[in-house]
Amino acid sequence: MFIGSLDAWDAAVADVTSRSRVCVLATAAAFRGPREAIEQIRELLGPRDVSVVGVSAVDRASANDPSVVAELAASDLVVLCDGAPLHARSVWRHSSLGEALVRANLLCVGATGSVLGATMIDPRGGAPTTGLGLFADVVLSVPTSAPQSKRTRELLAHETLVELGPHAAVAYDGHWSVLDDRDLMVTRAGVDGDLRLGDGQ
């Protein structure tokens, strides 16, 4: 699983050149335009010899559609478009599509990666809430205002908070690794921390 922004795209796709099938899932882009989000990713993947399938899946009905789940299951890589993480969570949680994401090889763009942990951050106020549970102990977020970020750090007393700026990129395969530490802030119990302290177990 890769988590980062489009600015960190080169690190994300370094090992994707030989992939034969990529599914671009635009659930989180429901309000900014799923089609545009899919085309943006398609253009970035354009030079590579891959087959790209776009899936909007912006509501609960499509999240439980067997044909949508089959598209994910048949793909070597699933790209989760950036957008509204709370909407993505409401669509994916307790759905067939959410269950398929657990088994998929994921590349998460922007704030959408925050949905995947046991705990996610509500972007409206910085408080922790329930995520999909693909990993524990580490909470992913994107930078916000200084007061909101401070509040989030104080509320997360026992988890490692990873704030991913425009260039930061991390990966998770049962253990965490940092691919690009620019704009990366890691804290635990409100003080500077180390991503290795949160192993996702």
Side-chain angles (χ1 to χ4, degrees), residues 110-125:
T112 306
S114 68
V115 178
L116 303 177
T119 301
M120 70 172 287
I121 300 303
D122 187 332
R124 298 169 299 185

Side-chain angles (χ1 to χ4, degrees), residues 55 60-74 95-97 100:
V55 175
R60 294 287 296 180
S62 55
N64 288 293
D65 184 334
S67 65
V68 170
V69 175
E71 289 287 5
L72 264 73
S95 73
S96 300
L97 185 56

Side-chain angles (χ1 to χ4, degrees), residues 1 80 85 88-90 92-95 97-103 106 108 112-121 129-140 159 172 174 176 199-201:
M1 177 190 309
L80 305 182
R89 184 193 67 166
S90 70
W92 295 338
R93 196 167 179 228
H94 303 311
S95 73
L97 185 56
E99 293 172 6
L101 289 175
V102 174
R103 299 183 294 273
L106 301 175
C108 314
T112 306
S114 68
V115 178
L116 303 177
T119 301
M120 70 172 287
I121 300 303
T129 185
T130 305
L132 294 186
L134 273 66
F135 50 82
D137 197 41
V138 169
V139 180
L140 302 175
E159 295 148 309
Y172 178 69
W176 291 95
D199 62 6
Q201 301 300 314

Side-chain angles (χ1 to χ4, degrees), residues 26-90:
T27 306
F31 307 118
R32 68 185 180 96
R35 185 174 301 172
E36 292 82 356
I38 291 168
E39 287 308 310
Q40 181 182 29
I41 300 300
R42 192 189 302 275
E43 289 175 11
L44 288 169
L45 287 168
R48 294 167 174 83
D49 185 20
V50 295
S51 171
V52 180
V53 176
V55 175
S56 295
V58 295
D59 54 33
R60 294 287 296 180
S62 55
N64 288 293
D65 184 334
S67 65
V68 170
V69 175
E71 289 287 5
L72 264 73
S75 298
D76 300 299
L77 176 71
V78 177
V79 179
L80 305 182
C81 296
D82 199 5
L86 285 177
H87 177 73
R89 184 193 67 166
S90 70

Side-chain angles (χ1 to χ4, degrees), residues 143-157:
T144 59
S145 67
Q148 182 167 313
S149 182
K150 180 175 182 293
R151 178 172 184 259
T152 298
R153 293 171 189 172
E154 291 171 348
L155 290 170
L156 292 173

